[in-house]
Amino acid sequence: MISRSSLILFAAFSVSLCDDGHEMEEFLKREYSLSKPYQGIGVSGSSHWELMGDALVTTDYVRLTPDQQSKQGALWSRLPCHLRDWELQVHFKIHGQGKKNLNGDGLAIWYTKERMQKGPVFGNRDFFTGLGMFVDTYPNEEKLLEAQRKRYTPRTQRIFPYVLAMVGNGTISYDHERDGRPTELGGCNAMVRNLKHDTFLFIRYVRRRLTIMLDIDGQHEWRDCLDVPGVHLPQGFYFGISAITGDLSDNHDLISMKLYQLTILRSKQEDVEEQEVLIPSVDNLELLRPYTDTEGMSSIAIFFSVLFSMLGVFLLVVVGLVLYGHWSENRRKRFY
Ligand SMILES: *[C@@H]1O[C@H](CO)[C@@H](O)[C@H](O)[C@H]1NC(C)=O
Ligand SMILES: [Ca+2]
Protein backbone atom coordinates (compact mmCIF):
# COMPACT_ATOMS: atom_id res chain seq x y z
CA MET A 1 0.00 0.00 0.00
CA ILE A 2 1.28 3.47 -0.88
CA SER A 3 0.30 6.28 1.43
CA ARG A 4 -1.14 9.30 -0.24
CA SER A 5 1.33 11.72 1.31
CA SER A 6 4.16 9.82 -0.32
CA LEU A 7 2.41 10.09 -3.67
CA ILE A 8 2.08 13.83 -3.23
CA LEU A 9 5.73 13.94 -2.30
CA PHE A 10 6.51 12.04 -5.48
CA ALA A 11 4.57 14.57 -7.50
CA ALA A 12 6.26 17.49 -5.80
CA PHE A 13 9.73 16.21 -6.60
CA SER A 14 8.72 14.99 -10.03
CA VAL A 15 10.70 11.79 -9.58
CA SER A 16 9.53 8.57 -8.08
CA LEU A 17 10.15 4.87 -8.24
CA CYS A 18 8.03 2.42 -10.11
CA ASP A 19 6.94 -0.78 -8.38
CA ASP A 20 9.72 -2.60 -10.20
CA GLY A 21 12.34 -0.08 -9.11
CA HIS A 22 12.64 1.77 -12.41
CA GLU A 23 13.03 5.48 -12.05
CA MET A 24 10.05 7.43 -13.23
CA GLU A 25 9.22 11.09 -13.61
CA GLU A 26 5.77 12.56 -13.52
CA PHE A 27 4.35 15.81 -14.79
CA LEU A 28 0.87 17.17 -14.36
CA LYS A 29 -0.68 17.66 -17.80
CA ARG A 30 -2.97 20.65 -17.40
CA GLU A 31 -4.71 20.19 -20.73
CA TYR A 32 -6.04 16.77 -19.59
CA SER A 33 -6.73 17.87 -16.01
CA LEU A 34 -9.58 19.70 -14.39
CA SER A 35 -10.07 21.33 -11.01
CA LYS A 36 -11.83 24.22 -9.30
CA PRO A 37 -12.90 26.77 -10.42
CA TYR A 38 -13.47 24.93 -13.72
CA GLN A 39 -12.88 28.00 -15.84
CA GLY A 40 -14.60 28.10 -19.20
CA ILE A 41 -16.29 24.70 -18.99
CA GLY A 42 -19.75 24.80 -20.45
CA VAL A 43 -18.84 27.80 -22.57
CA SER A 44 -18.45 26.40 -26.07
CA GLY A 45 -14.94 26.24 -27.43
CA SER A 46 -13.20 27.96 -24.53
CA SER A 47 -12.07 24.93 -22.55
CA HIS A 48 -10.31 21.62 -23.00
CA TRP A 49 -13.44 19.96 -21.65
CA GLU A 50 -16.92 19.57 -23.05
CA LEU A 51 -20.15 18.89 -21.14
CA MET A 52 -22.97 16.70 -22.32
CA GLY A 53 -26.53 15.72 -21.38
CA ASP A 54 -27.66 16.67 -17.88
CA ALA A 55 -24.16 17.53 -16.63
CA LEU A 56 -23.66 21.00 -15.20
CA VAL A 57 -20.90 23.02 -13.53
CA THR A 58 -21.07 24.80 -10.18
CA THR A 59 -18.27 26.53 -8.31
CA ASP A 60 -17.49 23.40 -6.27
CA TYR A 61 -18.09 20.44 -8.55
CA VAL A 62 -19.18 19.19 -11.94
CA ARG A 63 -22.50 17.41 -11.39
CA LEU A 64 -22.79 14.62 -13.97
CA THR A 65 -26.28 13.72 -12.82
CA PRO A 66 -28.53 15.16 -10.12
CA ASP A 67 -30.33 12.86 -7.63
CA GLN A 68 -33.29 12.44 -9.98
CA GLN A 69 -34.62 9.58 -12.11
CA SER A 70 -33.52 8.94 -15.71
CA LYS A 71 -30.67 11.44 -16.02
CA GLN A 72 -27.39 11.04 -17.79
CA GLY A 73 -24.44 13.33 -18.21
CA ALA A 74 -20.82 13.32 -19.19
CA LEU A 75 -17.68 15.39 -19.45
CA TRP A 76 -15.18 14.72 -22.24
CA SER A 77 -11.71 15.93 -23.05
CA ARG A 78 -11.53 17.65 -26.43
CA LEU A 79 -7.93 16.58 -26.97
CA PRO A 80 -6.79 13.06 -27.84
CA CYS A 81 -4.12 11.89 -25.43
CA HIS A 82 -0.88 10.59 -26.92
CA LEU A 83 0.89 9.70 -23.67
CA ARG A 84 2.30 6.20 -23.42
CA ASP A 85 2.38 5.92 -19.63
CA TRP A 86 0.09 7.87 -17.40
CA GLU A 87 -1.61 8.20 -14.06
CA LEU A 88 -5.08 9.60 -13.49
CA GLN A 89 -6.36 10.76 -10.11
CA VAL A 90 -10.09 11.25 -9.88
CA HIS A 91 -11.70 13.03 -6.92
CA PHE A 92 -15.41 12.26 -6.93
CA LYS A 93 -18.48 12.16 -4.72
CA ILE A 94 -21.58 9.97 -4.97
CA HIS A 95 -24.42 10.90 -2.65
CA GLY A 96 -28.20 10.89 -2.50
CA GLN A 97 -31.36 10.28 -0.52
CA GLY A 98 -31.75 6.60 -1.47
CA LYS A 99 -31.41 4.20 1.45
CA LYS A 100 -29.55 0.93 1.29
CA ASN A 101 -29.67 -0.39 -2.29
CA LEU A 102 -32.23 2.10 -3.53
CA ASN A 103 -29.78 4.20 -5.49
CA GLY A 104 -28.08 4.02 -8.83
CA ASP A 105 -26.64 3.48 -11.25
CA GLY A 106 -23.08 4.75 -10.94
CA LEU A 107 -20.36 6.50 -12.87
CA ALA A 108 -17.67 5.55 -15.37
CA ILE A 109 -14.24 6.84 -16.28
CA TRP A 110 -13.20 6.41 -19.91
CA TYR A 111 -10.17 6.29 -22.15
CA THR A 112 -11.78 5.58 -25.52
CA LYS A 113 -11.60 6.22 -29.23
CA GLU A 114 -15.16 7.55 -29.23
CA ARG A 115 -16.35 10.60 -27.31
CA MET A 116 -19.57 12.53 -26.68
CA GLN A 117 -21.95 9.69 -27.51
CA LYS A 118 -24.93 9.05 -25.23
CA GLY A 119 -25.81 5.47 -24.39
CA PRO A 120 -26.68 2.80 -21.83
CA VAL A 121 -23.22 2.17 -20.34
CA PHE A 122 -23.23 4.62 -17.44
CA GLY A 123 -24.39 7.31 -19.87
CA ASN A 124 -21.91 6.41 -22.62
CA ARG A 125 -22.33 4.35 -25.80
CA ASP A 126 -22.04 0.55 -25.83
CA PHE A 127 -19.53 -1.24 -28.09
CA PHE A 128 -16.91 1.32 -27.12
CA THR A 129 -13.26 1.03 -28.12
CA GLY A 130 -10.84 1.38 -25.22
CA LEU A 131 -10.90 1.31 -21.44
CA GLY A 132 -13.91 1.75 -19.18
CA MET A 133 -13.74 1.81 -15.38
CA PHE A 134 -17.05 1.64 -13.58
CA VAL A 135 -18.18 2.58 -10.08
CA ASP A 136 -21.36 0.51 -10.11
CA THR A 137 -23.69 1.36 -7.22
CA TYR A 138 -26.62 -0.91 -8.08
CA PRO A 139 -26.49 -4.76 -8.13
CA ASN A 140 -28.63 -5.54 -11.18
CA GLU A 141 -27.49 -9.17 -11.38
CA GLU A 142 -28.47 -9.86 -7.77
CA LYS A 143 -31.99 -8.56 -8.46
CA LEU A 144 -32.15 -10.60 -11.67
CA LEU A 145 -31.20 -13.81 -9.82
CA GLU A 146 -33.67 -13.00 -7.04
CA ALA A 147 -36.43 -12.66 -9.64
CA GLN A 148 -35.43 -16.07 -11.06
CA ARG A 149 -35.24 -17.48 -7.51
CA LYS A 150 -31.58 -18.34 -7.99
CA ARG A 151 -28.65 -17.60 -5.77
CA TYR A 152 -25.00 -16.84 -6.13
CA THR A 153 -22.51 -19.49 -5.22
CA PRO A 154 -20.49 -17.80 -2.46
CA ARG A 155 -17.34 -17.46 -4.60
CA THR A 156 -19.13 -15.51 -7.30
CA GLN A 157 -20.87 -12.95 -5.13
CA ARG A 158 -19.74 -9.36 -5.56
CA ILE A 159 -20.51 -6.78 -2.90
CA PHE A 160 -21.85 -3.45 -4.12
CA PRO A 161 -20.94 -0.66 -4.74
CA TYR A 162 -18.38 -2.40 -6.92
CA VAL A 163 -15.51 -0.97 -8.99
CA LEU A 164 -14.48 -2.83 -12.13
CA ALA A 165 -12.63 -2.36 -15.39
CA MET A 166 -13.37 -3.52 -18.94
CA VAL A 167 -11.52 -3.21 -22.23
CA GLY A 168 -13.67 -2.97 -25.37
CA ASN A 169 -12.60 -3.35 -28.99
CA GLY A 170 -15.74 -1.97 -30.64
CA THR A 171 -17.52 -5.32 -30.94
CA ILE A 172 -17.92 -6.27 -27.27
CA SER A 173 -21.08 -5.31 -25.41
CA TYR A 174 -21.32 -4.34 -21.75
CA ASP A 175 -23.94 -6.54 -20.06
CA HIS A 176 -25.87 -4.13 -17.85
CA GLU A 177 -28.19 -6.82 -16.43
CA ARG A 178 -25.17 -8.71 -15.10
CA ASP A 179 -23.21 -5.62 -14.03
CA GLY A 180 -20.56 -6.29 -16.67
CA ARG A 181 -19.52 -9.64 -15.20
CA PRO A 182 -18.93 -11.41 -18.57
CA THR A 183 -16.37 -8.78 -19.62
CA GLU A 184 -14.85 -7.91 -16.26
CA LEU A 185 -11.04 -7.66 -15.98
CA GLY A 186 -11.24 -7.57 -12.22
CA GLY A 187 -12.53 -5.29 -9.52
CA CYS A 188 -13.28 -4.74 -5.85
CA ASN A 189 -15.94 -3.68 -3.40
CA ALA A 190 -15.95 0.06 -2.64
CA MET A 191 -18.32 1.64 -0.13
CA VAL A 192 -18.31 5.08 -1.70
CA ARG A 193 -21.80 6.48 -1.16
CA ASN A 194 -22.78 9.26 1.23
CA LEU A 195 -19.37 9.66 2.86
CA LYS A 196 -18.30 12.77 4.78
CA HIS A 197 -14.66 12.45 3.74
CA ASP A 198 -13.19 12.76 0.24
CA THR A 199 -13.12 9.79 -2.13
CA PHE A 200 -10.49 9.17 -4.82
CA LEU A 201 -9.80 6.72 -7.61
CA PHE A 202 -6.30 6.29 -8.91
CA ILE A 203 -5.61 4.69 -12.28
CA ARG A 204 -2.11 3.95 -13.45
CA TYR A 205 -1.15 2.64 -16.89
CA VAL A 206 2.55 1.83 -17.10
CA ARG A 207 4.29 -0.68 -19.35
CA ARG A 208 0.88 -2.05 -20.31
CA ARG A 209 0.03 -2.74 -16.70
CA LEU A 210 -3.30 -1.37 -15.52
CA THR A 211 -3.59 -0.65 -11.81
CA ILE A 212 -6.56 0.78 -9.97
CA MET A 213 -6.33 1.94 -6.38
CA LEU A 214 -8.87 3.57 -4.10
CA ASP A 215 -8.71 6.07 -1.29
CA ILE A 216 -12.23 5.99 0.10
CA ASP A 217 -11.81 5.26 3.82
CA GLY A 218 -10.69 8.73 4.87
CA GLN A 219 -7.30 7.31 5.93
CA HIS A 220 -5.25 8.98 3.16
CA GLU A 221 -4.10 5.58 2.02
CA TRP A 222 -4.39 3.89 -1.35
CA ARG A 223 -6.00 0.44 -1.28
CA ASP A 224 -5.37 -1.95 -4.17
CA CYS A 225 -8.40 -2.73 -6.29
CA LEU A 226 -7.14 -4.19 -9.54
CA ASP A 227 -3.78 -4.96 -11.13
CA VAL A 228 -3.72 -6.46 -14.64
CA PRO A 229 -0.67 -6.83 -16.89
CA GLY A 230 -0.85 -7.18 -20.66
CA VAL A 231 -3.43 -4.47 -21.29
CA HIS A 232 -2.90 -3.08 -24.79
CA LEU A 233 -4.31 0.39 -25.29
CA PRO A 234 -3.64 2.52 -28.38
CA GLN A 235 -2.54 6.11 -28.00
CA GLY A 236 -4.65 9.04 -29.13
CA PHE A 237 -7.86 8.18 -27.29
CA TYR A 238 -10.01 10.55 -25.20
CA PHE A 239 -10.49 10.76 -21.44
CA GLY A 240 -14.02 11.20 -20.23
CA ILE A 241 -16.31 10.63 -17.27
CA SER A 242 -20.03 9.89 -17.35
CA ALA A 243 -22.88 8.86 -15.06
CA ILE A 244 -26.46 7.66 -15.30
CA THR A 245 -29.54 7.30 -13.12
CA GLY A 246 -32.60 5.14 -13.83
CA ASP A 247 -35.55 4.40 -11.58
CA LEU A 248 -33.05 4.91 -8.77
CA SER A 249 -30.75 7.89 -8.51
CA ASP A 250 -27.81 9.66 -6.89
CA ASN A 251 -25.85 12.85 -7.35
CA HIS A 252 -22.71 11.89 -9.27
CA ASP A 253 -20.19 14.69 -8.77
CA LEU A 254 -16.69 15.14 -10.15
CA ILE A 255 -14.46 17.39 -8.08
CA SER A 256 -11.17 17.03 -9.94
CA MET A 257 -9.28 14.93 -12.49
CA LYS A 258 -5.51 15.11 -12.61
CA LEU A 259 -3.55 13.43 -15.36
CA TYR A 260 0.18 12.87 -14.88
CA GLN A 261 2.56 11.97 -17.65
CA LEU A 262 4.99 9.29 -16.51
CA THR A 263 8.36 9.21 -18.14
CA ILE A 264 9.61 5.64 -18.16
CA LEU A 265 13.10 4.72 -19.28
CA ARG A 266 12.98 1.77 -21.66
CA SER A 267 15.69 -0.26 -23.28
CA LYS A 268 15.64 -0.57 -27.08
CA GLN A 269 14.33 -4.10 -26.74
CA GLU A 270 11.50 -3.09 -24.40
CA ASP A 271 10.66 -0.33 -26.85
CA VAL A 272 10.32 -2.84 -29.68
CA GLU A 273 8.38 -5.31 -27.52
CA GLU A 274 5.86 -2.61 -26.65
CA GLN A 275 4.92 -1.78 -30.22
CA GLU A 276 1.87 0.42 -30.47
CA VAL A 277 -1.37 -1.41 -31.11
CA LEU A 278 -4.37 -0.21 -33.11
CA ILE A 279 -7.07 -2.30 -31.43
CA PRO A 280 -7.36 -2.55 -27.63
CA SER A 281 -6.94 -6.03 -26.18
CA VAL A 282 -5.93 -7.87 -23.02
CA ASP A 283 -3.56 -10.86 -22.81
CA ASN A 284 -4.77 -14.13 -21.24
CA LEU A 285 -8.32 -12.95 -20.66
CA GLU A 286 -9.49 -16.46 -19.77
CA LEU A 287 -7.12 -16.50 -16.77
CA LEU A 288 -8.61 -13.26 -15.45
CA ARG A 289 -12.11 -14.65 -15.37
CA PRO A 290 -11.93 -17.97 -13.56
CA TYR A 291 -15.40 -17.49 -12.08
CA THR A 292 -17.42 -16.49 -15.14
CA ASP A 293 -19.32 -19.77 -14.91
CA THR A 294 -21.96 -19.00 -12.29
CA GLU A 295 -23.96 -22.17 -12.88
CA GLY A 296 -22.91 -25.64 -11.78
CA MET A 297 -19.72 -27.02 -10.25
CA SER A 298 -16.63 -28.46 -11.82
CA SER A 299 -16.37 -32.26 -11.91
CA ILE A 300 -13.66 -32.18 -9.21
CA ALA A 301 -15.93 -30.14 -6.94
CA ILE A 302 -18.76 -32.64 -7.52
CA PHE A 303 -16.47 -35.59 -6.79
CA PHE A 304 -15.36 -34.08 -3.48
CA SER A 305 -18.84 -33.07 -2.38
CA VAL A 306 -20.12 -36.62 -3.05
CA LEU A 307 -17.10 -38.09 -1.22
CA PHE A 308 -17.58 -35.84 1.81
CA SER A 309 -21.33 -36.49 1.90
CA MET A 310 -20.69 -40.26 1.97
CA LEU A 311 -18.08 -39.88 4.71
CA GLY A 312 -20.55 -37.74 6.66
CA VAL A 313 -23.32 -40.38 6.40
CA PHE A 314 -20.86 -43.12 7.43
CA LEU A 315 -19.78 -41.09 10.47
CA LEU A 316 -23.39 -40.49 11.51
CA VAL A 317 -24.16 -44.23 11.28
CA VAL A 318 -21.12 -45.10 13.44
CA VAL A 319 -21.99 -42.48 16.06
CA GLY A 320 -25.60 -43.68 16.02
CA LEU A 321 -24.56 -47.32 16.57
CA VAL A 322 -22.25 -46.41 19.45
CA LEU A 323 -24.95 -44.34 21.15
CA TYR A 324 -27.50 -47.12 20.67
CA GLY A 325 -25.06 -49.59 22.18
CA HIS A 326 -24.64 -47.42 25.30
CA TRP A 327 -28.35 -46.89 25.61
CA SER A 328 -29.32 -50.56 25.40
CA GLU A 329 -26.52 -51.52 27.84
CA ASN A 330 -27.82 -48.96 30.37
CA ARG A 331 -31.32 -50.29 29.94
CA ARG A 332 -30.14 -53.84 30.59
CA LYS A 333 -28.33 -52.70 33.77
CA ARG A 334 -31.52 -51.06 35.04
CA PHE A 335 -33.48 -54.28 34.53
CA TYR A 336 -31.19 -56.51 36.53
C1 LIG B 1 -12.77 -8.21 -30.04
O1 LIG B 1 -12.74 -9.09 -28.92
C2 LIG B 1 -13.50 -10.27 -29.11
C3 LIG B 1 -13.51 -11.03 -27.80
O2 LIG B 1 -12.25 -11.10 -27.21
C4 LIG B 1 -12.88 -11.07 -30.25
O3 LIG B 1 -13.63 -12.25 -30.46
C5 LIG B 1 -12.88 -10.21 -31.52
O4 LIG B 1 -12.21 -10.89 -32.56
C6 LIG B 1 -12.19 -8.88 -31.24
N1 LIG B 1 -12.35 -8.01 -32.41
C7 LIG B 1 -11.33 -7.38 -32.95
C8 LIG B 1 -11.67 -6.50 -34.09
O5 LIG B 1 -10.18 -7.51 -32.55
CA1 LIG C 1 -25.29 -2.16 -11.97
Side-chain angles (χ1 to χ4, degrees), residues 167-172 279-281 285 289:
V167 167
N169 63 12
T171 67
I172 305 172
I279 298 170
S281 65
L285 260 185
R289 296 183 194 136

Side-chain angles (χ1 to χ4, degrees), residues 105 122 136-140 160 174 176 179:
D105 275 283
F122 298 91
D136 189 342
T137 53
Y138 185 76
N140 298 73
F160 279 71
Y174 168 82
H176 178 72
D179 304 302

